[in-house]
Amino acid sequence: MDFDVDDDSEAIRQAVRRVCQDFDDTYWRDCDEQHRFPWDFYHAMADGGWVGIAIPQQYGGGDRGITEASIVLEEVAASGAAMNGCSALHLSIFGMNPVVKYGSADMKSKYLPRVASGDLHVAFGVTEPDSGTDTSSITTRAHLDGDRYLVRGQKVWTTKAQDCEKVLLLVRTTPLKDCKKRTDGMTLLLADLQRPEVDIRPIPKVGRNAVASCEVRYDDLPVAVDDRVGEEGRGFQYLLDGLNPERILVASEALGIGKVAIRKAVAYAKQRQVFGRPIGMNQGVAFPLAEAHARLHGAELVIREASWRYDHGLPCAEHANTAKWLAADAGHFAADRAMQTFGGFGYAKEYDVSRYWVESRLMEIAPISQEMIMNYLAEHVLGLPRSY
C-alpha cells in the first residue's frame, strides 16, 4: 500500500464536498425532524455521477472500486449529513452488487443504467422479525406459478421501502427442512414494491428519520422469473459476496460521523470560555478529543487496507469486519466525546452533535452487531469453537 496522497482520491473528496456544501446542518436537521427524504441532495449526488460510482461503465456507471465508493460515503457523513445522507445513497451505490455479478445480461441492461442515473431506487429486503441475524431462518416464501413467482411473507427494517420502485428480496424457494445446508434453498428476486400486494409501514425510530425503515408485508406478490438474480436456491451465496464491501462502506460512514463530531467539538472547545479561558485548555476536555482522533485514525487505516485488498481481489473478510468494528466503536466514541464537550448544549438540537450521537450509535447495531463481528473473528480468524 502507498500512503502518499492520491490525487484521484483527493479529487473525489473535493468534488463530493462541493456538492455537500449546499446541504448544511440545518437542511439535515429539518429532514430528520420532518421525516422527509432528502430528494434535493439525492438528485445532486446523482447528477454528479456519485450514485453510480461503483456500477460498470457499460451501464452508465463510474466503474470504480470500493475504495472510491467508501471515500464518497465518508465525505457525505463528514459533511454533517451523517447516516441520513449516507442511507439515502448507500444501497444505490453498492446494494445492487449481486445484480452486477450474477444478474442476466437482460436484467443488467434493463436496471443498472437506471440505478446509475439515480432514476431507479432499490431497497434491500432480508431481515425478518423472527430471524434477525439468523438469515437461514427466514420464512418469506416464493413458489413458482407458471412464469412467475408468488411471494408471501414479512420483512422488517427495509430501508426507504416507501420511496423505492424495486426491492432486492431474499426469499425461500425450498423449505428449510428439505435443504442439505441451512443456507441452501434461498433465492434473490428483484421485485416490485409499489403494488397492492405489498403493505409498507414505516417504523417509528429514535433517529435517522429522513430515511424511513419499514415493515413490509407481501401477500402473493407476483415476480417474473426474469427478475430472479442468478440461479434459484443460491441467493444466500450471492449475498455473501456483498458482505465485505458493505462492511467497508459502513465503516467509512462511521468514520465520517466521527470526523464531523470531532471537528464541531474542537471548534467549540476553542471558543467556549469558562472561568476566563477556553475549555479546550483543560485536559479533561482535550485528552478525550485527542483519544477520539487517535481511534478514528487507527480505524481509517484498517478501512483503507480492507478496501485496497477488496479492490485487488485479495481475501479481506477479517479486514472488512475489523474495520467495521473499529470504525463503529471509534465513531460513536467521538460523537459521545463531542456531546460531553458541549455539555448541556450538546443536548440542544441546534448544535447537531446529538444527531451525530444518535446516528453513530446505530452503527454499532446495523447492519451487523459488534457482537456478531466478534463471533466471526473468534471463529474464523482465531479458530475458536463456534459459540452460536
Side-chain angles (χ1 to χ4, degrees):
M1 295 179 67
D2 187 350
F3 289 97
D4 285 341
V5 175
D6 180 82
D7 291 340
D8 192 42
S9 295
E10 190 60 26
I12 291 173
R13 290 186 184 277
Q14 294 300 326
V16 173
R17 287 172 187 171
R18 284 194 292 273
V19 176
C20 291
Q21 70 185 4
D22 292 331
F23 304 92
D24 60 12
D25 279 310
T26 301
Y27 174 84
W28 292 109
R29 196 184 315 137
D30 290 345
C31 285
D32 191 67
E33 291 179 355
Q34 298 167 17
H35 294 219
R36 185 180 80 240
F37 190 84
W39 287 113
D40 293 343
F41 169 76
Y42 179 88
H43 291 311
M45 291 294 288
D47 290 345
W50 303 115
V51 170
I53 188 170
I55 290 176
Q57 188 175 19
Q58 69 187 99
Y59 303 112
D63 205 24
R64 308 303 293 268
I66 190 66
T67 296
E68 291 81 7
S70 69
I71 289 171
V72 170
L73 289 170
E74 177 197 329
E75 289 298 331
V76 169
S79 74
M83 284 308 295
N84 275 318
C86 291
S87 296
L89 306 172
H90 183 112
L91 289 174
S92 295
I93 286 179
F94 218 82
M96 289 288 278
N97 192 45
V99 173
V100 172
K101 296 190 71 171
Y102 301 108
S104 67
D106 287 344
M107 174 180 275
K108 289 189 241 188
S109 297
K110 182 177 181 180
Y111 295 119
L112 291 181
R114 292 186 60 203
V115 173
S117 70
D119 174 57
L120 177 62
H121 296 262
V122 180
F124 203 50
V126 175
T127 307
E128 297 184 3
D130 296 324
S131 61
T133 308
D134 184 9
T135 304
S136 62
S137 296
I138 65 168
T139 58
T140 298
R141 183 84 168 89
H143 69 272
L144 268 176
D145 179 43
D147 60 354
R148 65 180 186 173
Y149 290 95
L150 294 178
V151 177
R152 178 178 286 269
Q154 179 183 4
K155 299 291 183 180
V156 73
W157 301 117
T158 303
T159 298
K160 65 175 186 176
Q162 60 189 10
D163 298 306
C164 289
E165 179 182 334
K166 288 277 189 177
V167 58
L168 198 58
L169 190 62
L170 186 68
V171 298
R172 272 221 165 268
T173 44
T174 302
L176 181 58
K177 63 182 178 62
D178 296 332
C179 296
K180 291 183 179 179
K181 295 171 55 181
R182 291 181 61 84
T183 53
D184 290 344
M186 289 183 278
T187 301
L188 269 181
L189 303 175
L190 191 56
D192 292 325
L193 264 178
Q194 308 307 321
R195 288 184 57 100
E197 299 90 350
V198 182
D199 180 52
I200 301 172
R201 301 188 182 188
I203 300 169
K205 298 178 300 182
V206 69
R208 205 207 69 173
N209 283 310
V211 181
S213 300
C214 303
E215 178 183 14
V216 185
R217 296 176 183 272
Y218 301 91
D219 187 10
D220 287 337
L221 171 70
V223 183
V225 172
D226 289 345
D227 280 339
R228 184 185 68 213
V229 180
E231 299 177 29
E232 182 175 297
R234 298 194 61 196
F236 185 81
Q237 285 71 32
Y238 298 156
L239 281 183
L240 288 179
D241 280 339
L243 292 183
N244 288 332
E246 181 186 45
R247 305 282 192 269
I248 296 167
L249 292 184
V250 168
S252 299
E253 294 163 11
L255 173 66
I257 296 176
K259 286 186 174 183
V260 68
I262 292 301
R263 187 170 72 241
K264 288 285 188 73
V266 168
Y268 184 77
K270 288 178 179 179
Q271 62 87 22
R272 172 66 168 162
Q273 298 277 331
V274 177
F275 301 118
R277 65 184 199 171
I279 62 172
M281 291 182 68
N282 302 316
Q283 292 178 348
V285 173
F287 282 10
L289 295 179
E291 180 182 350
H293 169 79
R295 290 186 181 208
L296 290 169
H297 186 66
E300 184 169 12
L301 292 176
V302 181
I303 293 169
R304 298 292 162 247
E305 180 189 17
S307 69
W308 183 88
R309 291 181 68 88
Y310 181 86
D311 287 340
H312 285 80
L314 298 173
C316 67
E318 174 188 353
H319 311 80
N321 279 280
T322 303
K324 190 275 177 184
W325 194 98
L326 290 172
D329 181 70
H332 187 60
F333 180 85
D336 189 71
R337 293 303 86 195
M339 283 280 283
Q340 198 69 16
T341 300
F342 275 80
F345 287 116
Y347 237 57
K349 288 187 176 181
E350 66 178 290
Y351 290 93
D352 292 293
V353 290
S354 61
R355 178 165 54 84
Y356 307 152
W357 186 87
V358 169
E359 295 185 23
S360 67
R361 184 62 181 85
L362 172 63
M363 314 301 281
E364 295 186 310
I365 301 171
I368 186 171
S369 69
Q370 300 293 79
E371 291 78 10
M372 286 303 294
I373 288 180
M374 290 294 98
N375 279 330
Y376 176 86
L377 295 176
E379 179 184 354
H380 296 284
V381 178
L382 301 182
L384 293 169
R386 185 184 177 99
S387 63
Y388 61 97

